Amino acid sequence: MDSFDVLVIGGGPAGYVAAIRAAQLGFKTACVDAFERNGKASLGGTCLNVGCIPSKAMLDSSEKFEVMQHDFAEHGINVQGASLDIAKMLGRKNGVVDKLTGGVAYLFKKNKITSFFGLGKLVRTDGDGWIVDAAGTEVRAARVIVATGSSPRALPLAPFGGHIVENSGALEFTAVPEKLGVIGAGVIGLELGSVWRRLGADVTVLEAMPGFLMAADDAIAKEGLKLFKKQGLDFHFGVNITAVEQDDSGVSVTYTEQDKEVTARFDKLIVSIGRVPHTQGLGADAVGLALDERGFVKVDQHYRTNLQNVYAIGDVIGGAMLAHKAEEEGVALAEMLAGQAGHVNYDVIPWVIYTSPEIAWAGLTEKQAKDRGLNIKTGQFPFSANGRALGHGDTRGFAKIIADAQTDKLLGVHMIGGGVSELIGEVVAIMEFGGSSEDLARTVHAHPTLSEVVKEAALAADKRALHM
């Protein structure tokens, strides 16, 4: 029987990063993962295979198509006869995925990580360690890391299949649907809805919550809704779906909105109402692995489960279901197992929505800060007053800084605009070290760059913005 110091169940961002870091630290490491793509093992989990990576590839392709159609003329570039080759676009997306998933397989070989393709299941204790069924082969592991991730949450009235899809199916449409319905106005719904709207679909978004992006700062949510409506996305909030009927040609959705019953007809329906922990086949019940009332694996602050030498990280333990959060937990846990001080600061994890414009935030919203009784100051600066944004021809949005009024400590950053997914990093770094808005304001930013908007927002928090 093969024996390992660390065995990771799950090869997504939490699992494969934990395995790599464990191997770097000298542990004999294995990873068992059941993700299959095109009939072959494919490391990287949901994120690399059918989530973060392919959706960003499609967002980029679809945005290029839209910009060419609507924005090139302003730059003096005239394009005629533009056409869409969906098959080639999907092929490019698949190529990006192949390169990255293949890259993870290469990193496993480089770090001498044993890879098993199939399900991983906790079988029984073996002294201080565990016997694990790794894709049909029993192995011994001194420590087991559960990183099995999450799965799309299904709507009971609309099980996945046929014209009703989740994120992976929404990335595989072979033709642009004339009418596309999206249930859920969260990150996935907005991104995938945006992809197909840009390519020509008439998109309707149905959301049960009474407002738009209620987890974001109010100012960001208000601006985002205005801009997305202008693009043509049709939003309906506070809806209650009462019936979903599918036939060969499409889907009919009946819902109530403001006490009125509406039935809408769609060619395709994307259901994006969140994700649930994936523990099927893990053997949790048989070995007594504790789960909470929602099915997440229970852990303490050191990612320890109720079972000795069994740990859990990533989506399967709840919290922010973000790939970068999962990766950081993988690194932190591997370092803890090596006796180091692994740590994740959950207060400054950035959130990003890769629409156009992009939305990004970290830390407290203005409302959250006030609800906590904090005395705050805010600064806001628009891209419309930024030279680089004007040169790009995209002046949508702004950056907003929230700081403590007494200590000046940065409490939150919120942005909407072109490329803000790349701009938020510097503020997160300053927040990680307990920095102030003054630290951000006095940091020299190259001119002309979009990052100057962040600096000016920090200056605005002290009522001394220079260019507005």
Side-chain angles (χ1 to χ4, degrees), residues 2 6 28 32 107 123 143 153 180 199 234 246-247 263 273 283 290 299 347 364 367 370 376 378 382 385 412 433:
D2 287 337
V6 174
K28 183 181 179 182
V32 54
L107 290 172
V123 177
R143 301 177 183 91
R153 183 188 298 277
L180 174 64
L199 299 179
D234 181 21
Q246 181 174 192
D247 55 35
T263 297
I273 56 173
V299 294
D347 291 334
L364 299 177
K367 182 178 184 303
K370 290 178 177 177
I376 63 170
T378 65
F433 290 94

Side-chain angles (χ1 to χ4, degrees), residues 95-175:
V96 171
V97 171
D98 289 341
K99 186 171 185 178
L100 286 173
T101 56
V104 176
Y106 162 76
L107 290 172
F108 272 25
K109 291 179 181 179
K110 175 185 175 183
N111 289 282
K112 298 180 173 59
I113 298 167
T114 301
S115 184
F116 296 94
F117 172 51
L119 289 174
K121 181 180 180 181
L122 294 164
V123 177
R124 62 185 181 275
T125 57
D126 182 39
D128 291 335
W130 283 84
I131 302 300
V132 177
D133 182 337
T137 301
E138 286 197 350
V139 300
R140 186 185 187 281
R143 301 177 183 91
V144 177
I145 299 174
V146 176
T148 48
S150 62
S151 304
R153 183 188 298 277
L155 186 68
L157 291 171
F160 299 124
H163 300 295
I164 302 173
V165 301
E166 31 78 67
N167 54 288
S168 60
L171 292 165
E172 297 293 341
F173 293 155
T174 55

Side-chain angles (χ1 to χ4, degrees), residues 155 157-158 183 206 239-246 251-257 260-266 269:
L155 186 68
L157 291 171
I183 298 179
L206 307 175
V239 306
N240 178 37
I241 295 172
T242 56
V244 178
E245 297 179 359
Q246 181 174 192
V251 186
S252 295
V253 179
T254 301
Y255 61 93
T256 56
E257 181 183 11
K260 294 181 180 179
E261 185 173 87
V262 180
T263 297
R265 181 73 178 176
F266 305 111
L269 179 67

Side-chain angles (χ1 to χ4, degrees), residues 212 219-229 235 357 359 416:
F212 180 67
I220 297 292
K222 181 179 179 181
E223 182 72 6
L225 182 58
K226 179 185 75 175
L227 292 171
F228 294 140
K229 282 184 173 181
F235 290 94
I359 295 173
I416 179 169

Side-chain angles (χ1 to χ4, degrees), residues 172-193:
E172 297 293 341
F173 293 155
T174 55
V176 179
E178 182 178 343
K179 290 187 177 297
L180 174 64
V182 180
I183 298 179
V187 176
I188 295 173
L190 287 173
E191 291 184 356
L192 296 178

Side-chain angles (χ1 to χ4, degrees), residues 303 319-320 322 324-325 328-329 343-351 361-365 368 372 374 402 409-414 424 427-434:
Y303 310 112
L322 301 168
H324 44 283
K325 172 261 196 186
E328 292 305 317
E329 289 176 343
H343 175 69
V344 179
N345 184 355
Y346 293 99
D347 291 334
V348 294
I349 292 176
W351 292 74
W361 74 87
L364 299 177
T365 66
Q368 287 170 336
R372 294 186 185 188
L374 300 176
I402 300 171
K409 181 180 179 179
L410 281 171
L411 301 175
V413 55
H414 307 272
I424 195 169
V427 189
V428 170
I430 292 175
M431 291 171 68
E432 180 69 35
F433 290 94

